[in-house]
Amino acid sequence: AQSVTQLDSHVSVSEGTPVLLRCNYSSSYSPSLFWYVQHPNKGLQLLLKYTSAATLVKGINGFEAEFKKSETSFHLTKPSAHMSDAAEYFCVVRNTGFQKLVFGTGTRLLVSP
Amino acid sequence: DSGVTQTPKHLITATGQRVTLRCSPRSGDLSVYWYQQSLDQGLQFLIHYYNGEERAKGNILERFSAQQFPDLHSELNLSSLELGDSALYFCASSPRVLAGRETQYFGPGTRLLVL
């Protein structure tokens, strides 16, 4: 069965510095991988998705992620953090054969001035 | 705004009661998914409906049931509520079920508090 592991429960950065949120996946097949963001008291918004096309995926708000099969990783990055990026980020894999999404435990990103 | 709507936004009820959560998918989407987000379990898939038919079940309790109506809106029914059912319930939709690697678009959620 597919699964994802988010390696950090919390990440703290200063505004203007790079962001790295780590995610490793486990999948027997070529996976579909996603990053979703959840702002406080808000729903889930899709940041970006990987569906076996380009391994470097660009998303909204300057975020991108690179699919590395050899490392089974799908880390999320952003060159320069903004205060509005403070939120919970979920790495997600889609269960092949079904359409259900399997969520990681989430990484809370804290951005300080 | 994803185009998926959920009502109500908040729901406070007592143990043993029954509630119904409603979801309207994006225009044209045939698939509806329900997820539960709780502090101890995280985000978990509950159930998937496609064009009125149940397609997949996840960690959904027997006290919970769902259906999708001909107009494609869906309802999640929670009965004999327990304190542990307090959670944020999300609905998501996508255009089809097996055609390609589709994105699921999430609604804003319904926050359920069982007292």
Side-chain angles (χ1 to χ4, degrees):
Chain A
Q2 285 88 337
S3 66
V4 288
T5 301
Q6 292 186 245
L7 300 169
D8 307 293
S9 59
H10 292 82
V11 170
S12 294
V13 300
S14 298
E15 192 174 21
T17 64
V19 175
L20 170 64
L21 306 184
R22 299 182 295 165
C23 172
N24 286 1
Y25 70 90
S26 172
S27 176
S28 302
Y29 307 94
S30 180
S32 293
L33 292 161
F34 308 80
W35 277 97
Y36 280 85
V37 61
Q38 183 178 27
H39 290 274
N41 299 313
K42 299 282 187 182
L44 291 156
Q45 181 183 22
L46 178 69
L47 275 180
L48 50 82
K49 65 178 180 179
Y50 167 76
T51 56
S52 77
T55 56
L56 183 61
V57 182
K58 293 188 184 300
I60 61 171
N61 300 334
F63 284 95
E64 62 181 38
E66 186 171 7
F67 174 74
K68 291 187 176 180
K69 188 174 181 179
S70 60
E71 299 176 9
T72 61
S73 69
F74 190 58
H75 300 335
L76 182 71
T77 60
K78 182 173 181 178
S80 176
H82 192 272
M83 295 296 291
S84 61
D85 294 328
E88 185 104 22
Y89 291 80
F90 293 93
C91 182
V92 183
V93 63
R94 176 156 50 204
N95 187 302
T96 304
F98 299 96
Q99 289 297 306
K100 75 172 190 178
L101 300 179
V102 178
F103 284 79
T105 50
T107 298
R108 184 166 298 276
L109 177 64
L110 306 169
V111 183
S112 57
Chain B
D1 185 1
S2 67
V4 178
T5 60
Q6 291 186 247
T7 57
K9 285 187 177 180
H10 302 277
L11 200 48
I12 301 175
T13 188
T15 54
Q17 295 298 303
R18 172 190 171 95
V19 297
T20 297
L21 313 184
R22 181 188 170 102
C23 168
S24 293
R26 297 185 320 156
S27 177
D29 283 1
L30 300 178
S31 272
V32 170
Y33 313 81
W34 286 96
Y35 293 84
Q36 179 195 57
Q37 184 178 31
S38 62
L39 284 175
D40 53 345
Q41 298 289 332
L43 261 159
Q44 291 193 102
F45 166 75
L46 294 178
I47 199 164
H48 169 208
Y49 274 82
Y50 172 71
N51 204 21
E53 292 186 7
E54 180 185 305
R55 296 305 297 259
K57 266 187 176 180
N59 300 322
I60 187 166
L61 300 171
E62 285 193 10
R63 300 183 285 108
F64 296 2
S65 65
Q67 54 184 326
Q68 186 180 25
F69 295 86
D71 68 353
L72 301 176
H73 91 272
S74 177
E75 292 181 356
L76 179 67
N77 300 295
L78 316 177
S79 61
S80 303
L81 284 167
E82 302 175 359
L83 295 178
D85 298 328
S86 296
L88 190 52
Y89 291 85
F90 286 109
C91 166
S93 75
S94 69
R96 292 174 294 272
V97 60
L98 292 175
R101 299 168 183 254
E102 296 179 345
T103 297
Q104 291 183 22
Y105 294 91
F106 283 77
T110 292
R111 188 172 293 279
L112 173 66
L113 179 59
V114 182
L115 300 175

